[in-house]
Amino acid sequence: MATTQTHHSVHITHKDHDLDSLQVLPDSYQWVQPDLFPSLQQHSTPLSDTLPLIDLSLPDAPDLIGKALRTWGSFQIINHGVPLSLIHAAQSSAIDLFALPTPYKLKASRTPGTFPGYGIARINSFFPKRMWSESFTIMGSPLEHFRHLWPHDYSKRCDIMAEYDRELKSLCGRLMWIALSELGITREDINWAGPNEDFKTCNAATQLNFYPACPDPDRAMGLGAHTDTTLLTVLHQNNTRGLQILREGRQWVTVEPVAGALVVQVGDMLQIVSNGLYKSPFHQAVVNRTQKRLSVAYLFVPPENVEMSPHKKLLSPTQPPLYRPISWTDFIRIKSNNFDGLSCIRVDVKDEKQVKVG
Ligand code: OGA
Ligand code: NI
């Protein structure tokens, strides 16, 4: 496992494989699981736990969400208010997009150093082998890219993604207040939620992920283990298993697809704000032999240059801040060179004391 960027390119070129057409798994895709988690139990009995499934329309939802955030850093929600027809429309745009011939998709490639467009996951640079997936990131309007992909049929697809962004943004605002209230943080305590205190000041990207069926799924990996550089990630997976969340550093737990449900995950930035009370879980996506898998991940991030820090209401002499203040812009730069970004901004309390005493 490299901690800094390797020479491995994260940009797709014409020479790259067309995954759908491969009958055997090329060596470059034969995954080597990095030795990341010392307490991971490979062959123990599975934890009986499943990721909590919470009905957002019920009165006990905030309480259950608070509990899930402190233990799993993740949960699934139903009755979340996002129209199912919209979720399906976004999914089918994604299906159509990845089904396009490679030369079309390459016309919408990410340019180096930027987020939007088509390519392979940025985190692939940390791993020696390639991941069995493709992705397409939308930030702001996808118009320029969609015009290349669907010269005659782009405007309806742009409207769908704009509507998806609006709906998910307001859901994320709601979830943020639930998550913060459960820590005792109120509207007066947060000065970056915007004039209407609805977090519309936050930024977001919609990330479409595609995992083709794989000839040798046990030896491949769709998306390697990582944490998200977000406040919250809200993900919809089609009816195919693949997403796994690391439970207590010990075991990968598969997130069962539930029709219409959305998977919510704490990201690194909320781990910082909550001073580690909410943990940004490691997760990965595995692949399978027969079915293509698709996910739409909504990546909800803080306003660009506002420093995020452990909230002062959560601090005391016995609960010192675990992280130094940092803006999303600065943190994403750290994460692009360091697999475990949070450890780079951790304040080591013991060391500080030693320095003072010495
Ligand atoms: C991601 C992610 C998992 C999945 O996009 O960050 O973790 O199931 N996706 O596609
Ligand atoms: Ni992720």
Side-chain angles (χ1 to χ4, degrees):
M1 153 86 356
T3 50
T4 52
Q5 207 143 9
T6 66
H7 61 279
H8 194 94
S9 169
V10 294
H11 299 287
I12 291 184
T13 68
H14 282 276
K15 287 195 217 79
D16 282 293
H17 301 116
D18 195 351
L19 299 186
D20 261 332
S21 67
L22 294 173
Q23 308 295 315
V24 286
L25 191 70
D27 176 69
S28 54
Y29 288 86
Q30 288 177 20
W31 193 250
V32 181
Q33 186 70 317
D35 206 3
L36 279 175
F37 311 107
S39 40
L40 191 66
Q41 294 161 3
Q42 298 288 4
H43 304 292
S44 59
T45 39
L47 296 169
S48 57
D49 278 7
T50 54
L51 189 69
L53 178 66
I54 298 172
D55 184 336
L56 199 55
S57 68
L58 295 180
D60 64 349
D63 183 43
L64 294 175
I65 288 175
K67 287 202 179 84
L69 289 175
R70 285 170 188 270
T71 50
W72 290 81
S74 181
F75 54 89
Q76 297 205 68
I77 42 174
I78 50 170
N79 288 324
H80 40 64
V82 182
L84 290 188
S85 54
L86 179 62
I87 292 176
H88 291 145
Q91 283 263 352
S92 48
S93 270
I95 290 172
D96 295 349
L97 190 156
F98 293 111
L100 288 168
T102 305
Y104 271 76
K105 292 189 274 191
L106 290 176
K107 281 195 248 172
S109 287
R110 288 182 192 122
T111 48
T114 65
F115 297 102
Y118 174 73
I120 59 177
R122 283 161 57 94
I123 57 161
N124 212 151
S125 62
F126 294 112
F127 299 94
K129 295 305 183 93
R130 303 199 56 161
M131 298 169 182
W132 193 263
S133 58
E134 304 167 40
S135 70
F136 188 93
T137 309
I138 298 163
M139 281 173 90
S141 170
L143 181 73
E144 281 311 310
H145 283 144
F146 279 14
R147 252 215 294 252
H148 287 297
L149 297 175
W150 297 289
H152 308 291
D153 190 18
Y154 58 86
S155 96
K156 202 177 107 242
R157 296 177 193 273
C158 288
D159 293 347
I160 292 167
M161 296 323 298
E163 181 66 15
Y164 198 79
D165 180 61
R166 269 194 297 277
E167 286 285 338
L168 270 286
K169 194 166 232 180
S170 83
L171 175 63
C172 284
R174 248 174 102 193
L175 292 169
M176 279 298 292
W177 281 127
I178 295 174
L180 293 170
S181 311
E182 290 299 306
L183 296 172
I185 296 169
T186 61
R187 284 168 201 251
E188 299 80 62
D189 301 325
I190 295 284
N191 58 14
W192 45 274
N196 300 322
E197 297 183 327
D198 54 6
F199 291 103
K200 294 271 156 75
T201 42
C202 284
N203 293 314
T206 303
Q207 163 102 4
L208 314 176
N209 298 305
F210 178 54
Y211 307 90
C214 178
D216 198 351
D218 297 337
R219 295 168 74 195
M221 177 56 76
L223 193 60
H226 65 283
T227 63
D228 290 352
T229 316
T230 57
L231 284 163
L232 291 173
T233 299
V234 179
L235 177 139
H236 183 263
Q237 52 180 346
N238 71 348
N239 59 0
T240 306
R241 289 194 188 99
L243 176 60
Q244 299 184 324
I245 293 188
L246 189 67
R247 176 79 161 120
E248 294 167 1
R250 291 197 292 131
Q251 204 156 59
W252 291 109
V253 175
T254 298
V255 179
E256 288 300 321
V258 175
L262 296 168
V263 183
V264 181
Q265 283 174 6
V266 173
D268 298 338
M269 303 311 285
L270 186 54
Q271 177 164 336
I272 294 169
V273 173
S274 70
N275 203 32
L277 291 174
Y278 294 161
K279 291 212 174 51
S280 168
F282 272 93
H283 53 282
Q284 65 183 15
V286 297
V287 291
N288 74 86
R289 194 181 297 274
T290 53
Q291 275 161 313
K292 26 170 151 297
R293 180 167 178 272
L294 216 107
S295 74
V296 180
Y298 192 73
L299 310 171
F300 186 70
V301 306
E304 245 166 54
N305 293 309
V306 179
E307 285 200 331
M308 295 288 114
S309 50
H311 199 278
K312 60 182 189 308
K313 269 198 159 172
L314 306 173
L315 306 179
S316 71
T318 55
Q319 288 158 306
L322 297 180
Y323 308 101
R324 67 172 168 87
I326 190 156
S327 69
W328 181 79
T329 316
D330 289 340
F331 191 60
I332 195 87
R333 209 169 291 137
I334 290 177
K335 279 267 287 222
S336 68
N337 292 311
N338 298 276
F339 183 75
D340 187 1
L342 281 175
S343 69
C344 300
I345 60 157
R346 211 178 146 99
V347 179
D348 196 324
V349 182
K350 275 199 210 101
D351 280 1
E352 267 190 358
K353 269 191 194 141
Q354 276 164 8
V355 170
K356 275 180 203 145
V357 172

